[in-house]
Amino acid sequence: MAERMGKQTSRLSRPPRVESFAACVGKKEGHGPLGSLFDEVHEDDTLGQKNWEKAESALFGAAVNRCLEKANLKPENARFLLGGDLLNQLAASCFACRDLGIPFLGLFGACSTMAESLAVGSMLLDGGSADRLVCAASSHFCTAERQFRFPLELGTQRPPSAQWTVTGAGAVLLHEQDMAAGVYPAVTHVTVGKPIDFGVTDANNMGAAMAPAAAATIRQHFYDASRTVDDYDFIVTGDLGRVGSELLRELLKKEGASLPEKKHIDCGLQIFAPEQDSHAGGSGCGCSASVLCAKLLPDMIAGRIRRMLFVATGALMSTTTGNEGENIPGIAHAVAFERMEA
Amino acid sequence: MAERMGKQTSRLSRPPRVESFAACVGKKEGHGPLGSLFDEVHEDDTLGQKNWEKAESALFGAAVNRCLEKANLKPENARFLLGGDLLNQLAASCFACRDLGIPFLGLFGACSTMAESLAVGSMLLDGGSADRLVCAASSHFCTAERQFRFPLELGTQRPPSAQWTVTGAGAVLLHEQDMAAGVYPAVTHVTVGKPIDFGVTDANNMGAAMAPAAAATIRQHFYDASRTVDDYDFIVTGDLGRVGSELLRELLKKEGASLPEKKHIDCGLQIFAPEQDSHAGGSGCGCSASVLCAKLLPDMIAGRIRRMLFVATGALMSTTTGNEGENIPGIAHAVAFERMEA
């Protein structure tokens, strides 16, 4: 039985173990600073598919399959797949899951989806409803641009606050049991976030829309779990980018929970180099999912990170709500990972 | 700890109790055969909002608020809200949850969302991560028509296999504890479904797209839980409508698990009268959600139903995947309710 801490946090009684993970990305991500760390870099962003949606779906499926293969497992060994993406009606994950044949719980938390899937998945494992499950999320620059912004062919100019949607997918296999011997990351706590509306309406400034939600969830996690920044090697945010990351640190400082820059990793600022013209950084569900699986979890196994709070953030908007003048609320879910040695 | 049964089913060790429920609907639903049973009938389908999306969001919020009020509770008493809708990026539920301020787990299972939220919510309660949570889903005829089909103003003719998206929302409050005295429905088992692709491509024949998924999940539930049709008073499907309901019974018959017509309730065939011109029946996340909360759960409390399997079905499609010639896979999740007396 999980222990409920405060209003939004659960401490898992049997911290689910990260059994395997994989990240598959597109060409631009492959040419970025983390290029050599991804399991698959697809030089052809279509993945040989005839449209972008099928390409993203193939990328989602590739990450899940790779993740299972690395543990010498097959799709039928996973009890559930929890995941989602940014496409209308979760097209990428639904169709990937049709081909995988794994019982599917579709989730939507915009770019916070990877944290949402890890949070829900960990609670289900702790409760005994699954022995092993996959958490996954994806995004694709070409599906996102045309769905949320402009046709690619238009060559629209992007403001400096705009982020670049990552073409990538990440999948994490969680197992209910710890290991008899070895080193592994495990999920010890999860904090479920609330939608927070800071009045942002600019779809080219998602970082500002999401930072207040990240601040709220991080503060709540500290409060609920009686922890501080000092309890973590790093606080990892999903895709706040340059603008949102600064805003998050400002907000936390105001609230008396200073996050030193050297303890803050934003996945959106890891995945592209400045010369890659991604403006304020990477974004999309696939950003935090692929950086987690390519860089952060391996860093935990290698001992470079012993404890981290993974806080993916999402901007809750659609083109319809945007056109109707609605604000863009943010949401953030937090998952605490700890390095275990057996 | 939940007991895993077979490949897809969990038996809950502490069956979560239905503490409260509410259904709020629009005018056409209010004038249908269940009209007097709904908690709120909004004669004005705009709910006083300036667009349909805000109207659906208001309906979602109304159902959640009503459900909490009926238990003399406030939003802060619910640890999580699990829910979703059919709109792109879950606009209705995300914005409703922003206003409610409840920690939010967004789910997408198309029209199976109510069953998905009850399934996940029950497993989270059983695992101790929440004491009390709300499961909810909504749909609105006007948001769905213009998003998935044609502008309302076009007055497009509908084929006989087409269904009518219900303007409605349902919310169920689940509590981890049983009652000291009284009668209540509780969730005893959940079965998580897989996407099933039967090759259907006609967006005007969702019943046919979803029936194979319903058949697969029902059969799997029986197999996993060692139960048969005889163990239930009713098998309840979400919104298969006339065409899908017949197909479901045919499919089950072929597979040796006959479902007699008198033991089958389809929410889509309950909500409108034939003279209401809804063709093959009601559909949408709000169809099964509102019929569950207005009719089926009260029937359980009254003793007219002692055990039912609630199987909401979803058609996994978007306008993009439809335009790209993709099939429409279906998904169905099952939740077993049992009447408890203490």
Side-chain angles (χ1 to χ4, degrees):
Chain A
M1 291 272 295
E3 180 196 346
R4 295 191 289 276
M5 307 181 87
K7 286 197 171 297
Q8 294 171 234
T9 303
S10 293
R11 195 173 68 81
L12 304 168
S13 59
R14 304 178 302 143
R17 161 168 62 102
V18 175
E19 188 176 12
S20 179
F21 44 84
C24 301
V25 298
K27 182 176 174 177
K28 186 182 174 99
E29 294 71 21
H31 292 191
L34 308 181
S36 64
L37 304 176
F38 298 112
D39 294 273
E40 290 178 14
V41 174
H42 292 269
E43 287 291 322
D44 172 7
D45 276 2
T46 72
L47 281 85
Q49 301 294 319
K50 61 185 179 181
N51 58 56
W52 298 121
E53 287 71 25
K54 282 190 202 294
E56 182 177 341
S57 200
L59 199 62
F60 187 108
V64 174
N65 275 318
R66 261 296 178 120
C67 172
L68 290 164
E69 278 165 28
K70 285 165 79 175
N72 290 314
L73 294 169
K74 294 201 159 70
E76 56 265 35
N77 298 119
R79 197 164 173 95
F80 305 137
L81 192 158
L82 294 91
D85 56 84
L86 297 175
L87 297 188
N88 296 343
Q89 289 75 51
L90 300 196
S93 37
C94 286
F95 285 91
C97 200
R98 170 194 63 181
D99 299 336
L100 289 160
I102 307 176
F104 178 56
L105 294 168
L107 304 176
F108 179 77
C111 301
S112 75
T113 301
M114 192 65 200
E116 184 183 355
S117 70
L118 289 162
V120 177
S122 298
M123 292 189 280
L124 295 185
L125 285 163
D126 195 59
S129 284
D131 49 348
R132 182 182 263 140
L133 51 77
V134 181
C135 304
S138 70
S139 55
H140 194 301
F141 177 75
C142 300
T143 57
E145 280 302 303
R146 82 163 171 195
Q147 183 179 280
F148 290 110
R149 296 183 188 90
F150 298 100
L152 290 175
E153 296 79 357
L154 207 60
T156 312
Q157 202 175 1
R158 303 155 58 81
S161 62
Q163 293 176 241
W164 187 280
T165 306
V166 165
T167 299
V172 173
L173 183 68
L174 293 178
H175 194 288
E176 64 168 345
Q177 284 171 357
D178 47 17
M179 262 171 115
V183 164
Y184 58 95
V187 177
T188 58
H189 299 69
V190 305
T191 302
V192 176
K194 292 179 189 181
I196 304 284
D197 190 346
F198 219 58
V200 174
T201 55
D202 180 0
N204 276 313
N205 196 354
M206 295 295 194
M210 300 187 290
T217 297
I218 292 168
R219 205 185 46 212
Q220 189 72 38
H221 173 82
F222 288 163
Y223 187 82
D224 287 348
S226 301
R227 288 189 165 185
T228 70
V229 170
D230 298 335
D231 289 300
Y232 292 98
D233 295 332
F234 293 101
I235 306 294
V236 178
T237 49
D239 55 350
L240 295 178
R242 215 168 308 281
V243 179
S245 290
E246 280 170 29
L247 184 55
L248 167 67
R249 292 194 299 269
E250 265 177 47
L251 287 168
L252 285 174
K253 198 170 183 177
K254 267 190 198 162
E255 294 161 1
S258 279
L259 171 58
E261 202 174 334
K262 68 175 196 305
K263 294 192 77 163
H264 179 206
I265 296 175
D266 183 65
C267 297
L269 293 175
Q270 298 285 308
I271 198 161
F272 298 123
E275 62 272 19
Q276 284 185 290
D277 194 30
S278 67
H279 295 276
S283 68
C285 303
C287 177
S288 60
S290 64
V291 173
L292 176 72
C293 296
K295 174 92 174 70
L296 303 170
L297 292 173
D299 276 355
M300 291 199 80
I301 291 171
R304 288 186 290 269
I305 302 177
R306 300 195 156 259
R307 222 192 237 179
M308 68 176 179
L309 189 66
F310 176 73
V311 192
T313 50
L316 302 174
M317 52 106 45
S318 75
T319 50
T320 313
T321 60
N323 289 340
E324 288 170 356
E326 200 30 291
N327 294 342
I328 306 176
I331 192 164
H333 304 293
V335 178
F337 285 95
E338 190 161 330
R339 184 178 192 265
M340 306 285 187
E341 282 182 72
Chain B
M1 292 270 295
E3 180 196 347
R4 295 191 289 277
M5 307 182 87
K7 287 198 171 295
Q8 294 171 233
T9 303
S10 292
R11 195 174 69 80
L12 304 168
S13 60
R14 304 179 301 144
R17 162 168 61 101
V18 174
E19 188 176 13
S20 179
F21 45 85
C24 301
V25 298
K27 181 175 174 177
K28 186 183 174 95
E29 294 70 21
H31 292 192
L34 308 181
S36 64
L37 303 176
F38 298 111
D39 294 274
E40 291 178 15
V41 174
H42 293 268
E43 287 292 321
D44 172 7
D45 276 1
T46 72
L47 281 85
Q49 302 294 319
K50 61 184 179 181
N51 58 56
W52 298 120
E53 286 71 26
K54 282 191 203 291
E56 182 177 339
S57 200
L59 199 62
F60 187 107
V64 174
N65 276 320
R66 262 295 177 123
C67 172
L68 289 163
E69 278 164 27
K70 284 166 79 175
N72 291 314
L73 295 170
K74 295 202 158 71
E76 55 264 35
N77 298 119
R79 194 162 175 97
F80 305 137
L81 192 159
L82 293 92
D85 56 84
L86 297 175
L87 297 188
N88 296 343
Q89 289 75 52
L90 301 194
S93 37
C94 285
F95 285 92
C97 199
R98 171 195 62 182
D99 300 335
L100 289 160
I102 307 176
F104 178 56
L105 294 168
L107 303 178
F108 178 76
C111 302
S112 76
T113 301
M114 192 65 200
E116 185 183 355
S117 70
L118 290 162
V120 177
S122 298
M123 292 189 281
L124 295 185
L125 286 162
D126 195 58
S129 284
D131 50 348
R132 182 181 263 140
L133 50 79
V134 181
C135 305
S138 70
S139 54
H140 194 300
F141 178 76
C142 300
T143 57
E145 280 302 303
R146 81 163 170 195
Q147 183 179 279
F148 289 111
R149 294 181 189 92
F150 298 101
L152 290 174
E153 295 79 357
L154 206 61
T156 312
Q157 200 174 3
R158 304 155 57 81
S161 62
Q163 294 174 241
W164 187 280
T165 305
V166 165
T167 298
V172 174
L173 182 68
L174 294 178
H175 193 288
E176 63 168 347
Q177 283 170 357
D178 46 18
M179 263 171 111
V183 164
Y184 59 94
V187 177
T188 58
H189 299 70
V190 306
T191 301
V192 176
K194 293 178 187 180
I196 303 284
D197 189 347
F198 221 56
V200 173
T201 55
D202 180 1
N204 276 313
N205 195 353
M206 294 295 196
M210 300 188 291
T217 297
I218 293 169
R219 205 185 46 211
Q220 188 74 38
H221 173 82
F222 288 162
Y223 186 83
D224 287 350
S226 302
R227 289 189 164 184
T228 69
V229 170
D230 298 336
D231 289 300
Y232 291 98
D233 295 333
F234 293 101
I235 306 294
V236 178
T237 49
D239 55 350
L240 295 178
R242 215 168 309 280
V243 179
S245 291
E246 280 170 30
L247 184 55
L248 167 67
R249 293 194 298 270
E250 263 176 49
L251 287 168
L252 285 174
K253 198 169 183 180
K254 267 190 199 162
E255 293 162 2
S258 280
L259 170 59
E261 203 173 333
K262 68 175 197 304
K263 294 191 76 163
H264 179 205
I265 296 174
D266 183 67
C267 298
L269 293 175
Q270 299 285 309
I271 197 160
F272 298 123
E275 62 273 19
Q276 284 185 289
D277 195 30
S278 68
H279 294 278
S283 68
C285 303
C287 177
S288 60
S290 63
V291 173
L292 177 72
C293 296
K295 173 91 172 70
L296 302 170
L297 291 173
D299 276 354
M300 290 198 81
I301 290 170
R304 288 186 290 270
I305 301 177
R306 300 195 156 257
R307 220 192 239 178
M308 69 176 177
L309 189 65
F310 176 73
V311 192
T313 50
L316 301 174
M317 51 103 49
S318 75
T319 51
T320 313
T321 60
N323 289 340
E324 288 170 356
E326 202 26 294
N327 295 341
I328 306 175
I331 192 163
H333 304 294
V335 178
F337 285 95
E338 191 161 328
R339 184 177 192 267
M340 306 285 188
E341 281 183 73

